Amino acid sequence: MGFNVAVVGATGNVGREFLTILAERDFPVDNVVALASSRSVGKEVSFGEDDVLKVEALDTFDFKGIDIVLSSPGSKVSAVFAPRATKAGAIVIDNTSYFRMEPDVPLVVPEVNPEAIAQYQKRGIIANPNCSTIQMVVALKPLHDLARIKRVVVATYQSVSGAGRAAMDELFSQTRAIYVNDPVKPERFAKQIAFNVIPQCEVFRDDGWTTEEWKVVNETRKIIDPDIAVTATCVRVPVFIGHAEAVNIEFSRPMTEERARAALRNAPGVVVLDHRADEGYVTPAEIAGEDAVYVSRIRRDPTVPHGLNLWVVADNLRKGAALNAVQIAEILAADYLGGRGARPKVEPLRRKTG
Ligand SMILES: NC(=O)c1ccc[n+]([C@@H]2O[C@H](COP(=O)([O-])OP(=O)(O)OC[C@H]3O[C@@H](n4cnc5c(N)ncnc54)[C@H](OP(=O)(O)O)[C@@H]3O)[C@@H](O)[C@H]2O)c1
């Protein structure tokens, strides 16, 4: 006996990745349901290599009998459907920003704070952090454990897939339009994204920050430590999949490059690739489809007493979204909903203790 799983937003970038990763990791399912808007009813989505699911409408779906929901339909939709699903007895692992900062909803990255999953009992909801936050905290946590991080300054270089399917289409069609001399019409992004970089991810707040920047700051503090000062500039770049981040860290205590490199090499979910030579670092195009968070360019920042610079890259649709949520589901299934189905493969990415 396994679990009944519903995937909400199954036709989207993240939703399709949920279905791929559930199948890849042999998550113990009895039944999987694909849900999206009424526009998509009857469309087919793949579940693993052999199975195809017909999409059903979220609006009219009855969640009775569903154990776990993996959701990514956008914040406004999650706000409405998640309470309905939890009322019917399902546990919702939500990828949107809607519940992330609520104090009684755990915000979880399994390599960093798996113990927070226990708090799912309060609301029946677990929030999956923002893609840029996830890859950064996986790299920061082992360093914070060593020398207490005081301040982080991050600039992100975010791929268009982080803004959904339509945004990927926009990069493709603008690139093509420029080659054939057609006019370029920005729709999903505020300015032309092809052959450009845009210092705006999501929308502006009154204080001049964008909502994406605000999420990176506040989610990092909620997951690791509220005493860390974080400041961010989030930039959209013409890359299809994979976010990169230039991260500057100031520690309270001494930290050497060697200790940082050793800690990151031993950290769950991290791969260090740092050869200080041409090609000796990781770029987004090389890691699309991979699970790990890659760290390169580890070097001292001599402008502060205990400073370090890193380059952090990950697949935003996998570790930045769907993989992180499936890892949460694996721990939930094994540690909290135990005795139902095979023990999932959680060990390789769990945080080492002791
Ligand atoms: N992409 C990332 O890297 C990433 C990372 C972390 C979190 N997220 C978050 O995940 C969410 C989705 O992102 P995405 O990239 O997958 O977007 P997407 O490719 O645009 O897909 C959106 C999905 O939501 C569904 N949907 C939209 N309105 C709906 C409604 N009223 N009822 C039911 N389903 C509805 C869509 O169904 P239809 O096809 O029927 O319209 C589609 O399946 C967003 O909140 C995003 O912020 C994304």
Side-chain angles (χ1 to χ4, degrees), residues 2 13 39 158 210 227 242 290 320 329:
N13 272 347
R39 297 180 290 274
Q158 300 186 211
T210 62
D227 290 337
E290 303 276 335

Side-chain angles (χ1 to χ4, degrees), residues 8-16 35-41 43 55 57-59 71-78 95-97 100 128-132 134 159-167 188 202 212 215 243 315-318 320-322:
V8 174
T11 53
N13 272 347
V14 177
R16 280 175 295 157
L35 303 172
S37 76
S38 50
R39 297 180 290 274
S40 299
V41 172
K43 276 190 187 162
V55 175
L58 172 66
D59 277 356
S71 79
S72 59
S75 289
K76 286 183 187 148
V77 181
S78 285
N95 255 266
T96 77
S97 58
R100 288 181 192 151
N128 205 57
N130 174 273
C131 38
S132 304
I134 293 177
S159 66
V160 293
S161 58
R165 257 176 332 180
R188 184 65 186 70
E202 299 200 336
E212 181 83 356
K215 288 177 200 172
H243 289 358
D315 182 326
N316 54 295
L317 298 179
R318 288 182 72 91

Side-chain angles (χ1 to χ4, degrees), residues 64-339:
K64 203 156 168 249
I66 295 290
D67 301 301
I68 297 173
V69 180
L70 297 170
S71 79
S72 59
S75 289
K76 286 183 187 148
V77 181
S78 285
V80 175
F81 101 81
R84 182 161 66 84
T86 56
K87 204 168 166 204
I91 299 163
V92 176
I93 303 173
D94 186 49
N95 255 266
T96 77
S97 58
Y98 191 77
F99 299 102
R100 288 181 192 151
M101 294 311 293
E102 298 202 4
D104 51 359
V105 172
L107 182 63
V108 178
V109 177
E111 294 84 348
V112 178
N113 62 340
E115 67 288 345
I117 291 173
Q119 294 165 39
Y120 84 89
Q121 277 145 339
K122 294 182 180 163
R123 299 264 301 266
I125 299 172
I126 300 170
N128 205 57
N130 174 273
C131 38
S132 304
T133 306
I134 293 177
Q135 66 183 68
M136 186 167 81
V137 297
V138 168
L140 291 182
K141 175 70 166 122
L143 303 175
H144 186 59
D145 288 347
L146 267 186
R148 310 303 297 169
I149 295 173
K150 257 171 52 177
R151 181 169 187 254
V152 174
V153 182
V154 57
T156 69
Y157 302 73
Q158 300 186 211
S159 66
V160 293
S161 58
R165 257 176 332 180
M168 295 177 84
D169 292 345
E170 184 157 328
L171 172 58
F172 182 86
S173 56
Q174 283 187 2
T175 307
R176 192 191 151 281
I178 288 166
Y179 273 118
V180 298
N181 242 346
D182 277 351
V184 166
K185 275 188 276 154
E187 285 170 13
R188 184 65 186 70
F189 298 111
K191 297 202 180 198
Q192 173 188 318
I193 183 64
F195 306 100
N196 204 3
V197 296
I198 304 176
Q200 177 187 352
C201 294
E202 299 200 336
V203 294
F204 278 96
R205 292 157 41 95
D206 289 345
D207 58 8
W209 286 65
T210 62
T211 48
E212 181 83 356
E213 289 158 352
W214 187 91
K215 288 177 200 172
V216 172
V217 169
N218 291 291
E219 292 177 20
T220 300
R221 290 153 57 99
K222 178 169 175 176
I223 297 165
I224 302 187
D225 186 337
D227 290 337
I228 300 178
V230 184
T231 186
T233 301
C234 292
V235 180
R236 193 71 68 189
V237 296
V239 167
F240 281 103
I241 295 177
H243 289 358
E245 296 176 340
V247 187
N248 174 264
I249 311 165
E250 188 178 352
F251 296 92
S252 305
R253 303 200 289 259
M255 168 64 90
T256 63
E257 288 169 2
E258 293 70 27
R259 286 177 74 216
R261 194 170 280 114
L264 288 164
R265 284 222 163 95
N266 285 325
V270 176
V271 172
V272 174
L273 204 156
D274 188 22
H275 295 306
R276 300 186 169 187
D278 293 353
E279 301 181 30
Y281 47 83
V282 172
T283 60
E286 295 161 295
I287 56 81
E290 303 276 335
D291 287 351
V293 170
Y294 289 83
V295 181
S296 308
R297 308 286 328 270
I298 303 168
R299 64 207 190 280
R300 199 168 79 83
D301 170 10
T303 65
V304 290
H306 312 301
L308 200 72
N309 288 308
L310 308 175
W311 175 248
V312 180
V313 185
D315 182 326
N316 54 295
L317 298 179
R318 288 182 72 91
K319 186 56 195 165
L323 171 64
N324 195 75
V326 174
Q327 287 176 270
I328 293 171
E330 289 174 343
I331 298 173
L332 186 70
D335 294 356
Y336 300 93
L337 312 176

